[in-house]
Amino acid sequence: EAQVTQNPRYLITVTGKKLTVTCSQNMNHEYMSWYRQDPGLGLRQIYYSMNVEVTDKGDVPEGYKVSRKEKRNFPLILESPSPNQTSLYFCASSLRTGSSPLHFGNGTRLTVT
Amino acid sequence: GENVEQHPSTLSVQEGDSAVIKCTYSDSASNYFPWYKQELGKRPQLIIDIRSNVGEKKDQRIAVTLNKTAKHFSLHITETQPEDSAVYFCAAIMDTGRRALTFGSGTRLQVQP
């Protein structure tokens, strides 16, 4: 089944404790991206990747890192999480650029205390 | 960068009525305009999209119209049903070097039985 898989679905952590949210797609998509969703703000892009070893900042990249060592994986890293990073995170992929339909993962609800 | 404004933020209609959600965008270079539906607790999913070389696109009860001159596009849902209740997001992509899909802030549609 074609899908984008995110893990974990729920995560509660404390300020400053490094964490990684994994994202994997099995559709051989070139384009992958991370979004955060906050009430009233819609979906805001954190980082995106056009292909392996090619990443770029989105609208809200501060406090986040990503890597794209393999085509299928695009982990989101929070080196030192803070409470303002409490949010619902979505990974998404598409065949080529962001102008192709996006396939979203199920989301990761992160709480930083 | 691109800015997408979406209205209204909430919309309540009676079952069988029509619903219209409007979005405006700022960058005339945008050429791809998708709409995503997000049911409660689920991932966003593409429901319809339109490219700048057409003015209207229909898919059963859903249609999208685009006015490039005015830089706005709209989602039309006819004969609404309770299962249409969800949050709807419009988006636009500014494909001028920085390939980032910018989302509107979302419209919560409630269809009353």
Side-chain angles (χ1 to χ4, degrees), chain A residues 12-51:
Chain A
I12 300 174
T13 190
V14 296
T15 299
K17 186 176 181 182
K18 181 180 178 179
L19 66 91
T20 299
V21 184
T22 63
C23 175
S24 180
Q25 51 91 6
N26 62 359
M27 296 169 278
N28 202 36
H29 284 172
E30 291 183 355
Y31 182 93
M32 297 185 75
S33 61
W34 277 101
Y35 292 86
R36 60 176 290 174
Q37 184 176 16
D38 303 288
L41 296 177
L43 292 153
R44 294 181 293 167
Q45 190 174 59
I46 304 170
Y47 268 94
Y48 65 98
S49 170
M50 301 298 296
N51 214 323

Side-chain angles (χ1 to χ4, degrees), chain A residues 4 9 31 35 37 40-43 45 48 50 56-59 88 90 97-102 104-106, chain B residues 31-32 34 36 38 41-46 49 51 87 89 93 95 97-106:
Chain A
V4 178
R9 289 293 308 277
Y31 182 93
Y35 292 86
Q37 184 176 16
L41 296 177
L43 292 153
Q45 190 174 59
Y48 65 98
M50 301 298 296
D56 203 354
K57 296 178 180 179
D59 294 316
L88 177 60
F90 285 100
T97 69
S99 60
S100 301
L102 281 173
F104 284 86
N106 280 326
Chain B
N31 57 7
Y32 176 65
Y36 287 83
Q38 186 179 28
K42 297 193 175 179
R43 74 185 89 181
Q45 291 191 298
L46 179 74
D49 57 11
R51 298 187 185 270
V87 178
F89 293 98
I93 185 162
D95 197 5
R98 181 174 178 270
R99 302 172 184 86
L101 192 63
T102 302
F103 283 86
S105 55

Side-chain angles (χ1 to χ4, degrees), chain B residues 12 29 35 38 66 75 81 91:
Chain B
S12 182
W35 286 87
Q38 186 179 28
L66 171 65
L75 178 71
Q81 300 168 3

Side-chain angles (χ1 to χ4, degrees), chain A residues 95-112:
Chain A
L95 187 59
R96 280 180 282 278
T97 69
S99 60
S100 301
L102 281 173
H103 298 257
F104 284 86
N106 280 326
T108 296
R109 186 166 292 282
L110 171 66
T111 302
V112 184

